[in-house]
Amino acid sequence: MTDFSGGTSAGLDTGSPNVARMYDYWLGGKDNFAADREAAERVVEISEGRVVRGVRLNRAFLRAAVRAAAEAGVRQFLDLGSGLPTQENVHEAAAAAAPGARTVYVDNDPVVCAHGRALLAGAGNVGFAEADLRRPDAVLGHPVVRDMIDFSAPVALLLVSVLHFVDDADDPHALVARYRDALAPGGRLILSHLATDAFPEQMARAEQVYEGASARLGARPSALIRRFFDGFELLPPGLTGPREWLEGGGTDGERFAGLVGTGVLR
């Protein structure tokens, strides 16, 4: 078990920012270190505070989208690039809407996985698979995934705040298509992604902060983000900001760099 309360263990790099722990910090969590907090605060400054509000709206979107999928009959959730399963995450939202729903978290960071398993100890209908979403066959064939997920029934595929850490060289659109092709009709895509459209200069500066982090950040224009839904029917209110999504598309409120959306496979 990894001790995130202040101690260190072999393999735990506390001197470099970790994207999962930065995200945890913005959510108000405690599973982070000084390097994570320093980098996170630099992004807060660059974004003029929008990153914290955006991350928390993004988490609200995740919970609402999971509930909507469960209410539509989906009972299986596969969260790719999940990070730490803390702060009201997928399995809690799924179980609240549909007791008995199964969730598998997938992450390629061994320290995140070790801590995730410790956090989930004793939780029912939930598993954690150490695998890289850029290797779909390895993810889909992972023993935890095979044991808990039945791909002949609808599955909700979550790609929440992770694809902007997948480089273009890894062909993220082809990766999403590979997962899509493994889904049965009624399966869903729940996605959020940082976009360059609204704040290109600030986004470029934020990307520089991530140069020394555990993963590089690469926001994309909205047209490329929309392409991740190829083969899915994009559900209302479409691909939009998290606040607009939560309010059904009818707000003129503060703009954020993130775009969110859900789609269903017919």
Side-chain angles (χ1 to χ4, degrees):
M1 175 178 173
T2 304
D3 178 9
F4 274 65
S5 63
T8 60
S9 63
L12 177 59
D13 178 8
T14 65
S16 300
N18 177 283
V19 298
R21 298 194 303 255
M22 290 170 64
Y23 200 84
D24 175 78
Y25 172 73
W26 288 323
L27 286 172
K30 298 179 180 178
D31 297 318
N32 48 75
F33 294 103
D36 310 311
R37 294 188 288 271
E38 180 182 352
E41 283 296 333
R42 287 171 63 194
V43 179
V44 170
E45 181 180 358
I46 290 168
S47 70
E48 300 175 348
R50 276 187 295 269
V51 65
V52 175
R53 297 189 293 276
V55 160
R56 294 179 181 180
L57 282 169
N58 188 66
R59 185 49 55 102
F61 156 74
L62 179 149
R63 294 194 301 268
V66 167
R67 287 196 303 269
E71 290 166 359
V74 178
R75 296 294 182 267
Q76 305 178 102
F77 298 83
L78 183 61
D79 188 356
L80 301 181
S82 62
L84 295 169
T86 58
Q87 305 298 318
E88 301 179 342
N89 217 307
V90 176
H91 68 284
E92 296 168 329
R102 300 190 299 276
T103 299
V104 175
Y105 297 104
V106 178
D107 203 282
N108 68 338
D109 185 324
V111 174
V112 167
C113 291
H115 190 46
R117 293 188 190 100
L119 289 169
L120 297 173
N125 294 318
V126 59
F128 213 114
E130 184 178 334
D132 191 329
L133 71 87
R134 295 170 297 182
R135 309 289 183 266
D137 291 342
V139 171
L140 297 171
H142 192 284
V144 174
V145 176
R146 291 203 316 266
D147 182 57
M148 296 191 65
I149 301 293
D150 175 9
F151 284 97
S152 69
V155 175
L157 179 70
L158 286 90
L159 287 160
V160 177
S161 295
V162 66
L163 285 173
H164 44 242
F165 294 117
V166 177
D167 193 86
D168 288 340
D170 291 310
D171 199 349
H173 291 95
L175 293 176
V176 175
R178 173 68 182 90
Y179 288 109
R180 179 201 64 210
D181 292 345
L183 301 181
R188 294 202 174 199
L189 174 61
I190 298 173
L191 178 144
S192 67
H193 195 299
L194 286 175
T196 56
D197 304 54
F199 308 100
E201 293 183 5
Q202 289 178 322
M203 189 59 63
R205 291 172 59 200
E207 289 176 353
Q208 293 176 0
V209 176
Y210 282 86
E211 289 291 333
S214 58
R216 296 178 62 182
L217 176 66
R220 295 184 171 93
S222 58
L224 287 181
I225 298 172
R226 185 175 295 274
R227 279 185 50 203
F228 289 119
F229 287 93
D230 286 355
F232 292 92
E233 176 185 336
L234 191 59
L235 297 174
L239 184 65
T240 184
R243 179 171 289 160
E244 287 81 359
W245 194 94
L246 290 163
E247 297 181 7
T251 180
D252 294 320
E254 182 180 7
R255 298 173 68 201
F256 296 95
L259 293 175
V260 305
T262 62
V264 63
L265 192 64
R266 298 300 186 186

